[in-house]
Amino acid sequence: MARVFSGIQPTGELHIGNLLGAVQNWVRLQSEYDATFCIVDLHAITGAFYDAAQHRQRTLDMAIGILASGVDPERATLFVQSHVAAHSELMWLLNAVAPLGELERMTQFKDKSAALESIPAGLLNYPILMAADILLYRADKVPVGDDQVQHLELSRELARRWNAAYGGGATVLLEPEPLLTKARRIMGLDGESKMSKSKGNTINILDSPEVIWEKLRPAKTDPARKRRTDPGTPEICNIYDYHKHFSPPETVEMVAHNCRTAAWGCLDCKRVLADNMVAVLAPIRERAAELTGTPGRVEEILAAGAATARERAAETMTVIHERMGFLPAR
Ligand code: TRP
């Protein structure tokens, strides 16, 4: 069975952008592939969300969200990156073949470093750690958004360079292919930028029906609909886009019609959306409640995931140590 690997940063509770953009796809992939999913807490230490006091809780909340969304530990391996030391180790070893110029040319590095007075080396080396994540498990396919394609290309190059330098003609490290999901970039409630915790424009998967309504009620719609009698253009309305993800096709059609003809107001439209969103998220909230209702359950799942991951990573590391000429420990 082909192997899939993907990672997600521990930003805390999942929002519907994470759910529709990444995790729902993972749930589909786990039945078609030998799937490994990683909460990349080591990557997070250079990121906007990192706060040592909240790091553990955010990592745990991310795990709860992923499991509640349907990633099944019986079918996929889910683990926390820092629980498997080989990630950090391989990252260092890959430093030997990582070209500085290319790291400096990564768009994400350029964007993030431009805003900083002092640039941590970790920001530059971020894609090397990502390559280590993937190469350790000899993954064939990596589901990522288009913003990560450049990093994945670098992973492929590091695999090629390492193989050329140390492989002795063998393909020890596999070049992973991106598995591009059809773009499901979910915009935030402000309708202006991608849904993101840092923008404070999210609907979280565990939000209560009341909170969902409080967030949707003031959300931006087509500005042309100033009065209830003003017709609108659903295609430019964020709320209509949410309907496409949460409402059945007949409702989506009805929503578009009622908007174009001003047959109803934006609040009516949002009420229907809220109900459908609550219905889709209800089973996820229930599973989350079940998981957190058993103390230690999530930690146990993560420990089992880490044990599986460690075993697989160790196989790759043994070959890497050998080929790179390190003296065996015994
Ligand atoms: N850099 C990815 C992101 O920000 C997260 C990530 C880390 C990742 N390691 C990975 C994704 C390995 C895929 C495979 O989205």
Side-chain angles (χ1 to χ4, degrees):
M1 220 193 310
R3 281 179 302 265
V4 149
F5 182 96
S6 198
I8 191 166
Q9 297 227 15
T11 48
E13 194 183 320
L14 283 178
H15 57 65
I16 59 173
N18 302 133
L19 178 72
L20 300 169
V23 179
Q24 268 185 353
N25 190 38
W26 292 6
V27 173
R28 276 192 294 275
L29 293 171
Q30 69 184 353
S31 44
E32 292 162 42
Y33 291 92
D34 173 358
T36 304
F37 303 121
C38 182
I39 300 171
V40 294
D41 58 344
L42 295 170
H43 276 104
I45 63 173
T46 56
F49 304 105
Y50 178 63
D51 171 352
Q54 299 192 62
H55 201 38
R56 284 172 200 217
Q57 193 59 46
R58 286 183 178 168
T59 303
L60 197 61
D61 286 346
M62 181 54 71
I64 293 166
I66 292 169
L67 293 166
S69 300
V71 167
D72 176 0
E74 298 290 318
R75 293 200 261 180
T77 302
L78 175 70
F79 73 103
V80 174
Q81 190 183 30
S82 66
H83 293 178
V84 181
H87 292 249
S88 304
E89 186 187 356
L90 181 55
M91 185 218 152
W92 173 250
L93 299 181
L94 290 173
N95 263 300
V97 292
L100 180 61
E102 292 199 25
L103 293 171
E104 287 169 338
R105 278 194 292 278
M106 292 287 123
T107 35
Q108 192 167 301
F109 171 71
K110 286 196 285 186
D111 290 350
K112 295 205 164 152
S113 60
L116 299 174
E117 226 172 288
S118 164
I119 303 163
L123 211 52
L124 182 74
N125 291 332
Y126 179 109
I128 309 181
L129 181 58
M130 180 163 159
D133 297 342
I134 299 164
L135 301 179
L136 263 180
Y137 302 97
R138 310 190 82 239
D140 306 287
K141 302 253 191 279
V142 180
V144 281
D146 47 10
D147 62 327
Q148 295 298 313
V149 168
Q150 196 185 29
H151 286 162
L152 199 61
E153 190 47 54
L154 187 82
S155 300
R156 294 165 56 84
E157 182 170 355
L158 294 182
R160 277 196 299 274
R161 283 177 179 251
W162 190 95
N163 287 334
Y166 305 104
T171 307
V172 175
L173 300 181
L174 281 193
E175 285 185 48
E177 304 270 356
L179 200 60
L180 280 171
T181 20
K182 44 183 168 44
R184 289 181 113 186
R185 187 170 293 247
I186 309 303
M187 296 297 282
L189 285 164
D190 52 11
E192 272 154 32
S193 48
K194 192 176 144 181
M195 186 170 283
S196 153
K197 185 179 176 122
S198 63
K199 294 266 165 35
N201 61 8
T202 67
I203 293 180
N204 298 331
I205 61 168
L206 303 182
D207 279 347
S208 67
E210 294 73 31
V211 168
I212 289 177
W213 179 240
E214 273 163 34
K215 287 179 174 179
L216 282 178
R217 195 163 32 89
K220 218 176 131 196
T221 56
D222 177 0
R225 297 209 68 188
K226 286 193 191 64
R227 282 163 306 227
R228 198 185 185 290
T229 49
D230 294 330
T233 309
E235 288 73 21
I236 65 166
C237 182
N238 203 20
I239 296 298
Y240 178 62
D241 190 55
Y242 291 171
H243 268 293
K244 287 195 265 183
H245 294 297
F246 289 96
S247 299
E250 319 81 70
T251 308
V252 175
E253 224 171 275
M254 185 260 294
V255 163
H257 177 263
N258 286 355
C259 180
R260 280 194 202 103
T261 58
W264 70 1
C266 292
L267 268 184
D268 304 316
C269 177
K270 288 169 169 177
R271 190 61 257 173
V272 172
L273 173 64
D275 292 343
N276 289 333
M277 215 179 246
V278 166
V280 170
L281 298 178
I284 297 179
R285 292 182 74 211
E286 270 166 41
R287 272 197 296 269
E290 258 170 52
L291 281 163
T292 50
T294 317
R297 178 77 190 113
V298 176
E299 289 86 343
E300 191 186 311
I301 292 169
L302 294 175
T308 304
R310 238 177 254 127
E311 233 170 76
R312 293 184 169 200
E315 286 172 25
T316 310
M317 288 310 290
T318 301
V319 182
I320 290 175
H321 282 152
E322 249 169 49
R323 302 272 181 162
M324 290 184 86
F326 291 108
L327 176 69
R330 58 183 168 85

